[in-house]
Amino acid sequence: MKIGYLQFDVKYKDISANVNTLISYINKYKADLFVAPELCLTGYLFRNEDEIKQLLINNDTYISKISEVCIKTKSNLIFGHAIVENNKVYNAALLINSTGEIKKYKKIHLSKIEKHLFAEGNEIPIFKVKNVKIGINICYDLWIPEISRILFRNNVQVICCPCSFGGPWTYDIARIRAMENKIYYVIANRIGSENIDSIDAHFRGESKVYDYLGNIVSKLKRKPGIKIIEIDENQTISKETLMSEDISYEAQKYYIDQQKEV
């Protein structure tokens, strides 16, 4: 599978400009799956959920525009975006496949800032892209090991993680998630900065792909860009590691709910 992971300086509250940036990458490059950052169409900092709802009034038009490009280029795309369901706002990741079908994951673990803006998701869906099993985390989700373990127990081969963070620690945790679950882990982190009231947020980029051994197999710097990497997803099927002939056996010693494919 060829994965294109990308990062850019999100234009705050300018969905149209950010959609055009996203589309420009999909049109210019060729990959089976593209992965873009968290909340990459809206920006990250808001005063309240009504501010986000107002911004999303013409959301269907923007999503349709992205879907058309995915169909035209026969691409699959995972990107972070806010959605409204039952009058609640969610920090979500959308998967638009090469036929224009839209699926979603709603972030479960919210940061202190996000808890004032978004409702918590409560489902951990599993997706298929070109017969490869894909799971999604969004930023802080990856700090909670149970989500990755549930995906592992359902034979996910790649976890894609749209992100918006500035500190160095998330990379270390992502590497551990890749190693302990023998999966590829793709971080797409935005760059730039935002300021609202007394909050300053700086996003460092440096997006990375870790392989099933925890090695960095590809990375970006602190500037806009994209890299296309070809992975061997079949290497994740065997769960033999340096420490165990089958880590699935070890994982089954603990009770974790199973999830369904969508």
Side-chain angles (χ1 to χ4, degrees):
M1 170 179 269
K2 285 187 177 180
I3 298 177
Y5 66 103
L6 60 101
Q7 61 189 34
F8 60 95
D9 189 349
V10 175
K11 304 302 181 186
Y12 185 57
K13 291 187 177 182
D14 193 343
I15 296 181
S16 180
N18 295 320
V19 167
N20 289 337
T21 297
L22 198 53
I23 286 174
S24 69
Y25 280 110
I26 300 171
N27 277 326
K28 185 175 181 180
Y29 296 89
K30 181 65 177 176
D32 298 311
L33 175 65
F34 291 93
V35 186
E38 178 183 18
L39 296 173
C40 67
L41 300 188
T42 60
Y44 184 77
L45 294 178
F46 297 91
R47 291 183 173 85
N48 53 60
E49 65 175 22
D50 288 336
E51 194 175 12
I52 305 173
K53 288 178 181 177
Q54 184 66 29
L55 194 61
L56 297 175
I57 287 177
N58 296 315
N59 192 51
D60 290 346
T61 301
Y62 295 121
I63 299 304
S64 294
K65 188 175 180 181
I66 298 172
S67 296
E68 290 170 3
V69 175
C70 287
I71 294 170
K72 183 186 75 173
T73 61
K74 299 180 180 179
S75 301
N76 301 274
L77 168 67
I78 292 173
F79 64 101
H81 188 41
I83 62 172
V84 179
E85 287 187 357
N86 299 319
N87 206 36
K88 293 181 179 179
V89 184
Y90 293 92
N91 182 343
L94 303 187
L95 167 59
I96 302 180
N97 67 23
S98 57
T99 66
E101 185 181 11
I102 301 171
K103 301 179 181 181
K104 58 184 175 291
Y105 162 71
K106 292 177 284 191
K107 189 174 183 177
I108 293 173
H109 298 283
L110 304 175
S111 69
K112 289 185 288 186
I113 294 173
E114 295 164 3
K115 285 182 184 294
H116 301 293
L117 302 170
F118 302 106
E120 296 177 354
N122 59 11
E123 297 179 342
I124 307 174
I126 297 158
F127 309 96
K128 270 193 175 180
V129 175
K130 296 182 73 69
N131 291 318
V132 178
K133 283 194 170 185
I134 305 289
I136 298 177
N137 290 169
I138 300 176
C139 208
Y140 181 48
D141 278 334
L142 75 85
W143 287 58
I144 312 302
E146 285 79 7
I147 294 180
S148 296
R149 184 58 90 191
I150 287 170
L151 295 171
F152 158 85
R153 289 282 295 272
N154 284 274
N155 300 313
V156 159
Q157 296 160 281
V158 181
I159 295 179
C160 298
C161 191
C163 290
S164 291
F165 65 84
W169 314 281
T170 298
Y171 305 119
D172 298 327
I173 297 170
R175 178 173 183 262
I176 292 169
R177 297 289 167 263
M179 293 173 65
E180 68 188 3
N181 295 301
K182 200 179 179 185
I183 49 92
Y184 285 92
Y185 206 103
V186 181
I187 289 180
N189 186 38
R190 63 167 287 193
I191 62 170
S193 61
E194 290 178 18
N195 174 276
I196 187 170
D197 299 330
S198 60
I199 301 174
D200 287 303
H202 301 277
F203 309 102
R204 66 186 299 135
E206 297 179 332
S207 301
K208 292 179 174 64
V209 177
Y210 295 90
D211 69 10
Y212 51 90
L213 298 175
N215 299 312
I216 297 173
V217 293
S218 184
K219 61 183 179 180
L220 289 166
K221 297 181 179 180
R222 294 193 183 189
K223 59 183 180 180
I226 183 172
K227 282 198 174 180
I228 311 295
I229 180 172
E230 187 160 7
I231 67 168
D232 183 0
E233 65 275 3
N234 293 323
Q235 291 293 326
T236 67
I237 294 174
S238 165
K239 292 304 179 182
E240 182 174 355
T241 69
L242 291 173
M243 300 299 294
S244 173
E245 292 182 350
D246 183 10
I247 56 173
S248 298
Y249 170 76
E250 305 302 331
Q252 289 168 5
K253 294 179 180 179
Y254 304 92
Y255 177 78
I256 298 177
D257 286 333
Q258 302 295 302
Q259 303 295 311
K260 296 180 179 180
E261 289 184 32
V262 299

